[in-house]
Amino acid sequence: MKKLLAAMFVALLMAGCGDPDLDDPETLAKTITEAIDFNKLQKRGELFYAPNQQTPYTGRAKYMHSNGRVLGQYRDGKPDGLWAGWYSNGLKSFEHTYKAGKLWTTVGWQPNGEKCPVTNVVNGNGVMVYYNDDGKEAYRQTYKDGNK
């Protein structure tokens, strides 16, 4: 019986962990509503803090702008976990995974929904391309060990 209870407890913990399904419109809307506006976060040194807080921020942040939106996760004041962006047409622009402030993996899409053939960051190393809404390349960045 104790083993069964322990297994159920671990399963519940694991189910509660992880990133939300941002491809589900209802989950995405709820997550955006609950996230703090990125512009309200305060950068002190290399860490981000919620307003009037002394401990580094842990939680979701959003950045809403005229040509899309971004939703990301912070842990202990650093990007950590899933970050996703969308073009103004509603199609996904990118999905990044951060580990302790460093970019770990990324997948990118063009504004027409096609996967970017150039973007490929794995284990913190590779190239990431961003596109304008018109499909032209806006810029590209190269990462090594999770840093630009």
Side-chain angles (χ1 to χ4, degrees):
M1 181 68 165
K2 287 183 182 180
K3 287 183 183 180
L4 178 61
L5 287 174
M8 289 175 54
F9 179 71
V10 169
L12 285 172
L13 283 176
M14 290 176 65
C17 297
D19 296 310
D21 179 7
L22 299 179
D23 291 325
D24 174 56
E26 188 175 311
T27 301
L28 176 61
K30 182 178 182 217
T31 304
I32 287 174
T33 300
E34 294 171 352
I36 189 172
D37 189 314
F38 177 79
N39 293 318
K40 291 183 180 178
L41 293 176
Q42 303 165 350
K43 189 169 185 184
R44 299 182 208 152
E46 296 298 314
L47 302 178
F48 288 86
Y49 294 78
N52 304 314
Q53 297 298 310
Q54 299 305 312
T55 56
Y57 181 66
T58 294
R60 299 210 178 276
K62 62 187 170 192
Y63 180 63
M64 312 298 273
H65 49 93
S66 61
N67 59 341
R69 60 186 177 212
V70 175
L71 183 64
Q73 173 72 36
Y74 285 89
R75 183 179 315 251
D76 299 325
K78 297 178 184 179
D80 192 280
L82 178 65
W83 282 66
W86 294 264
Y87 292 106
S88 60
N89 65 9
L91 294 177
K92 195 171 281 182
S93 169
F94 64 83
E95 278 190 358
H96 305 321
T97 303
Y98 283 88
K99 288 187 176 183
K102 295 184 183 257
L103 182 67
W104 196 245
T105 64
T106 192
V107 176
W109 290 271
Q110 298 170 332
N112 64 5
E114 291 180 22
K115 192 172 181 181
C116 175
V118 179
T119 296
N120 186 29
V121 177
V122 178
N123 297 330
N125 300 299
V127 175
M128 180 170 43
V129 175
Y130 287 96
Y131 294 92
N132 293 322
D133 277 346
D134 64 6
K136 292 181 183 168
E137 185 177 318
Y139 63 94
R140 65 176 61 204
Q141 294 180 332
T142 301
Y143 286 82
K144 180 160 177 52
D145 299 325
N147 299 306
K148 294 179 190 176

